[in-house]
Amino acid sequence: MGIFQRVRLRPTQLRTVADRRYDDAATLCKTGKNARANGAMYLGGFVMECLLKAQLLAEYPWLETAGSPEGRSRNDRHLWSLCYRSHDLDEILAKLPKILERLSRVEQGGSNRLVQSLKGICSRWTIYARYSPHTADIHEARVFLEQVRELKQWLR
């Protein structure tokens, strides 16, 4: 099955996947073609999903070995679903308040630019971008990927 095989990934593996998909997105942007912008933005959001899920697994280590959520508390079932079934970055981020706290601490002058960037990506990006009949502008994709690149270092 190769790349199509279903596997559970550890946080380090998810971070590696995120790095590879970021490189793919950057390569699409380098073409300079608007026709590649949607793919670049979709992959950029997927990078964020991988990094947030890696954080989720690191914060809640039981998720790595939980075969199913059966018999767990309602909150634990929700966490399992976020990790293995969801693509809702807003919901995943809501379970990771330490990320926002860390970003707030590193920013000088209290601008919260990184926090706002992360929240913006999480609220805008959706897997439904892969079905969009609209074409983004390559400049928009470059701006989006620059935000992803900047946030990547803080989500490791």
Side-chain angles (χ1 to χ4, degrees), residues 60-111:
Y60 304 97
W62 64 267
L63 284 169
E64 272 192 73
T65 57
S68 88
E70 297 304 316
R72 296 208 171 258
S73 70
R74 183 177 183 189
N75 185 60
D76 284 357
R77 287 192 309 271
H78 182 63
L79 285 168
W80 187 91
S81 180
L82 288 175
C83 190
Y84 296 111
R85 299 285 185 257
S86 178
H87 306 284
D88 188 323
L89 302 187
D90 259 346
E91 277 194 62
I92 297 169
L93 183 60
K95 294 294 184 181
L96 298 166
K98 290 178 185 176
I99 290 175
L100 297 177
E101 292 168 11
R102 184 176 46 206
L103 288 177
S104 291
R105 281 194 310 271
V106 299
E107 292 192 286
Q108 296 179 356
S111 69

Side-chain angles (χ1 to χ4, degrees), residues 16-154:
T16 297
V17 170
D19 288 340
R20 290 177 182 171
R21 295 304 76 83
Y22 179 82
D23 290 345
D24 293 343
T27 298
L28 289 172
C29 269
K30 286 177 188 172
T31 68
K33 297 178 181 180
N34 287 341
R36 304 285 72 86
N38 286 24
M41 292 179 77
Y42 174 76
L43 287 172
F46 182 68
V47 166
M48 298 304 294
E49 180 180 336
C50 289
L51 292 172
L52 290 173
K53 286 184 176 184
Q55 289 286 330
L56 203 60
L57 287 167
E59 179 110 4
Y60 304 97
W62 64 267
L63 284 169
E64 272 192 73
T65 57
S68 88
E70 297 304 316
R72 296 208 171 258
S73 70
R74 183 177 183 189
N75 185 60
D76 284 357
R77 287 192 309 271
H78 182 63
L79 285 168
W80 187 91
S81 180
L82 288 175
C83 190
Y84 296 111
R85 299 285 185 257
S86 178
H87 306 284
D88 188 323
L89 302 187
D90 259 346
E91 277 194 62
I92 297 169
L93 183 60
K95 294 294 184 181
L96 298 166
K98 290 178 185 176
I99 290 175
L100 297 177
E101 292 168 11
R102 184 176 46 206
L103 288 177
S104 291
R105 281 194 310 271
V106 299
E107 292 192 286
Q108 296 179 356
S111 69
N112 281 339
R113 184 182 55 79
L114 290 173
V115 168
Q116 295 310 314
S117 180
L118 179 57
K119 285 182 175 182
I121 288 172
C122 288
S123 68
R124 287 189 336 253
W125 186 84
T126 171
I127 62 165
Y128 300 109
R130 61 187 172 194
Y131 305 111
S132 180
H134 305 288
T135 302
D137 179 86
I138 196 67
H139 174 71
E140 181 183 1
R142 286 180 178 138
V143 169
F144 186 80
L145 269 190
E146 178 55 28
Q147 290 176 319
V148 171
R149 185 199 60 75
E150 190 173 30
L151 288 165
K152 267 180 43 166
Q153 66 182 317
W154 301 106

